[in-house]
Amino acid sequence: MKKLWLIPLTALLSLSLLIAGCGNQQGGNVTADGKKVIHIYQGKVEIADALSKLKAEYEKEHPDVELEIQSVGGGADYAASLKAKFAAGDEPDIFTNGGDEEMNLWLEYLEDMSDQPWVKNIVDGAAEQISKDGHIYGQPNGLEGYGFIYNKDIFKKVGITEVPTTIDELRAACEKLKAAGYTPFSNGFQEWWVLGNHNVTIPFAHQDDPNAFLEQLDNGTAQIPGNAKFDEWLNLLDLMVKYGNANPLTTDYNTQVTLFANGKAAMMQQGNWTQVQIDGIKPDMNIGLMPMPINNNKEENDRVYVRVPNNWVVNKNSPVKEEAKEFLNWLVSSETGKRYITDEFKFIPAFKNIPTSDKQLGPIGADIVKYNDAGKILPWIFPKFPMGLSKDYGSTMQAYLAGELDRQGMLQQMQEQWVNLQLR
């Protein structure tokens, strides 16, 4: 894949250093009473409350350190806000990075953490997306998976006895749910990332060799229009809309999850990051995770999407980078930190030294572990996209769902967007 936007970002950030000096200078990392301040900027709003509690516990154990944590996400654009912070000279000491193309974009600002004590405990393959040339530039914060989260009680009530693993079985299940008065899908398509990250990954991941397909798109030997997997994917997307809630394009993430958790809808496209919010609305909800079938090939469809989506990285220009690395080591080695990862964040640990149970992870995470252990997984492809393409794809898909584009028009626009980003 081509590495895009590195020069523009470098120029932008270099200019900010001229304007703001060295960004977070020592004065910004020391309190009036001499405590070292670690500025943390992260994009998972669903763990914001848990991080606030963790902050109190860490500062109690480390009285000479203060954590300043800012969470941006949900409907906000974390990537854009991070660039703005750097451009303003307000550089965080620790921030999150999705790896692959995002790692390449920020590489010159990332501390090499290959020598950290936690590296030896990383689950096999879990650091692949945040590694380059034999060096590890971030700490994987956990495995995540997504598919259709479904309400087991509603399925049982309407007579759905087996999880659908083909498009025809899914359609039949939707008919049963609709006949019983339930909305089959809660769709939060106001959020570009629900479409442009997770949903659009489906046809890419179903290619015979996804990485080869990306390279072929780069060199012009493959096309999105006319590709069979994209046509099959649109059959699924159309089905989700047909059997979904009213006004999906004005339904945001919180509303989508709330509709599902309140039992108004039987399924939703999301992942284990929703477990904390679901628990807050309806504790001990009887739910699970199932595949997102695009055709009638059971073997091909009986898989869910699993990856390490985020990594904690350290700004190598930080005046408190040693304290920052100490905090990250504590997070995955101390009993307190490990408990927060499993019990509070509901993360599937990316470290062999952090044992967990189904009860700690919740039912969504437990199902992801089962699919992962069985090898029934598909890759997340959007982190390998040229930077900016996911938002473009999200907008294009929203235009399709609004009736502004037909199928062919949407697929052709997706092809053109890929090519245009390659030419920048």
Side-chain angles (χ1 to χ4, degrees), residues 36 87 145 283 423:
K36 294 288 184 69
L423 295 176

Side-chain angles (χ1 to χ4, degrees), residues 39-186:
H39 300 275
I40 302 174
Y41 198 67
Q42 69 94 28
K44 294 188 70 62
V45 292
E46 57 269 24
I47 65 168
D49 291 341
L51 281 171
S52 295
K53 293 192 292 184
L54 178 142
K55 162 184 161 69
E57 296 211 38
Y58 187 78
E59 290 174 353
K60 185 177 180 180
E61 294 183 29
H62 301 79
D64 295 332
V65 174
E66 181 177 305
L67 303 181
E68 182 185 274
I69 304 172
Q70 188 174 359
S71 300
V72 175
D77 189 335
Y78 171 79
S81 66
L82 181 64
K83 290 178 186 177
K85 284 185 76 69
F86 270 79
D90 183 21
E91 301 181 17
D93 306 300
I94 296 174
F95 55 102
T96 49
N97 185 286
D100 288 320
E101 290 297 296
E102 192 175 343
M103 175 191 67
N104 292 323
L105 181 68
W106 289 95
L107 189 61
E108 65 182 293
Y109 298 93
L110 306 185
E111 178 78 357
D112 185 347
M113 295 201 280
S114 306
D115 62 350
Q116 291 301 290
W118 44 262
V119 169
K120 65 181 183 294
N121 292 319
I122 297 176
V123 171
D124 293 347
E128 181 179 336
Q129 74 291 332
I130 199 67
S131 300
K132 191 178 182 69
D133 299 328
H135 298 276
I136 296 175
Y137 291 95
Q139 181 188 90
N141 68 9
L143 294 169
E144 285 187 351
Y146 70 91
F148 288 139
I149 301 173
Y150 68 104
N151 187 317
K152 292 183 177 181
D153 291 336
I154 293 178
F155 269 39
K156 183 178 180 180
K157 186 175 180 180
V158 304
I160 303 171
T161 57
E162 294 185 7
V163 169
T165 53
T166 71
I167 191 77
D168 285 348
E169 289 174 352
L170 182 61
R171 186 178 293 107
C174 289
E175 284 291 339
K176 283 187 176 182
L177 290 163
K178 184 179 178 181
Y182 292 101
T183 300
F185 289 104
S186 176

Side-chain angles (χ1 to χ4, degrees), residues 23 40 54 143 170 218 224 255 283 297 309 332 346:
I40 302 174
L54 178 142
L143 294 169
L170 182 61
D218 277 353
I224 290 174
T255 304
N297 184 330
V332 297
K346 299 295 183 183

Side-chain angles (χ1 to χ4, degrees), residues 344-359:
E344 300 290 339
F345 301 164
K346 299 295 183 183
F347 286 174
I348 301 170
F351 292 88
K352 300 171 185 176
N353 65 311
I354 305 180
T356 191
S357 67
D358 289 357
K359 183 178 180 181

Side-chain angles (χ1 to χ4, degrees), residues 12-23 86-87 89 91 109 317:
L12 173 67
L13 299 182
S14 296
L15 178 61
S16 75
L17 293 180
L18 289 173
I19 296 172
C22 295
F86 270 79
E91 301 181 17
Y109 298 93
N317 299 318

Side-chain angles (χ1 to χ4, degrees), residues 246-422:
N247 305 313
L249 289 173
T250 55
T251 301
D252 63 11
Y253 170 77
N254 287 327
T255 304
Q256 178 196 18
V257 176
T258 301
L259 284 171
F260 174 79
N262 284 333
K264 303 294 185 182
M267 294 176 282
M268 68 172 176
Q269 175 207 306
Q270 284 295 349
N272 57 313
W273 53 85
T274 63
Q275 187 70 65
V276 174
Q277 185 173 350
I278 292 171
D279 289 346
I281 299 169
K282 187 176 181 181
D284 302 317
M285 193 173 181
N286 188 17
I287 57 178
L289 187 74
M290 60 180 250
M292 302 175 69
I294 63 171
N295 55 36
N296 288 318
N297 184 330
K298 281 182 174 287
E299 185 177 355
E300 178 183 346
N301 287 302
D302 192 18
R303 297 179 285 176
V304 298
Y305 299 85
V306 178
R307 173 188 163 96
V308 173
N310 264 303
N311 309 270
W312 296 110
V313 297
V314 172
N315 182 352
K316 73 177 185 181
N317 299 318
S318 166
V320 293
K321 67 181 181 182
E322 295 307 317
E323 288 81 3
K325 288 188 282 187
E326 182 180 344
F327 166 72
L328 292 180
N329 185 55
W330 173 90
L331 184 61
V332 297
S333 63
S334 72
E335 292 306 311
T336 302
K338 291 188 289 186
R339 174 171 55 83
Y340 267 86
I341 287 173
T342 55
D343 293 23
E344 300 290 339
F345 301 164
K346 299 295 183 183
F347 286 174
I348 301 170
F351 292 88
K352 300 171 185 176
N353 65 311
I354 305 180
T356 191
S357 67
D358 289 357
K359 183 178 180 181
Q360 288 173 307
L361 295 178
I364 307 172
D367 276 355
I368 291 168
V369 170
K370 290 173 186 174
Y371 277 101
N372 189 64
D373 290 349
K376 293 182 175 183
I377 60 172
L378 287 163
W380 295 21
I381 304 301
F382 68 87
K384 298 176 182 289
F385 287 170
M387 294 301 296
L389 187 64
S390 283
K391 286 197 81 171
D392 289 347
Y393 277 176
S395 296
T396 296
M397 292 169 69
Q398 287 170 336
Y400 168 71
L401 296 174
E404 298 168 9
L405 293 170
D406 61 14
R407 279 191 173 208
Q408 186 62 25
M410 185 186 78
L411 296 178
Q412 184 59 44
Q413 187 160 306
M414 290 175 64
Q415 175 70 26
E416 292 169 0
Q417 286 167 326
W418 186 286
V419 172
N420 289 339
L421 275 177
Q422 295 301 320

